[in-house]
Amino acid sequence: YQALFTGKGCSTQGERLGGVTKDSKVLVLGGNRGPGHLAVQMAHRKGATVTVTVPPSCIHWMVYLGASRVINFREKDWIDHLRGEDFDLIFDCVGWASTSEEMDRAAEVLKPG
């Protein structure tokens, strides 16, 4: 996951991944998970605007770690809530986008292109 924040990684098709900067908008699904809380901190440290989904017990923790916006996934469908936000990166720490239908829905919050 560190490659996503350094810009040094690439996909299996050779596409560059990451390169988070101060102008980036990052969505972390499951910020309370192992790599999730690290991703929140790394993106925040790069100056990105960080949105994160977590259970209610972790909301204050995510704000403390640097999240700009925290969504309680038990109360809100994050896609409906964030549709059209144009995120540069979605970091999925819960395996949410495991089907093609879910990946198509996730694309509704990503920046075009």
Side-chain angles (χ1 to χ4, degrees), residues 1 4 9 13 15 19 21-22 33 37 45 63 68 82 97 99 105 107 111:
Y1 64 88
L4 295 174
Q13 289 82 31
E15 300 164 323
T21 67
K22 67 179 177 69
R33 300 291 179 106
H37 76 281
R45 183 102 169 141
V63 172
S68 306
L82 299 173
T99 67
R105 285 192 69 212
K111 185 183 289 183

Side-chain angles (χ1 to χ4, degrees), residues 49-102:
T49 301
V50 184
T51 300
V52 62
T53 64
V54 293
S57 62
C58 297
I59 291 172
H60 295 293
W61 182 41
M62 291 297 111
V63 172
Y64 175 77
L65 294 181
S68 306
R69 182 165 39 171
V70 182
I71 297 171
N72 175 353
F73 68 80
R74 292 193 178 128
E75 289 183 359
K76 299 177 183 173
D77 179 320
W78 63 269
I79 289 181
D80 290 339
H81 188 69
L82 299 173
R83 187 172 282 116
E85 289 283 328
D86 293 340
F87 286 95
D88 297 293
L89 174 70
I90 299 175
F91 189 63
D92 183 2
C93 300
V94 294
W96 180 88
S98 59
T99 67
S100 61
E101 293 83 17
E102 290 167 341

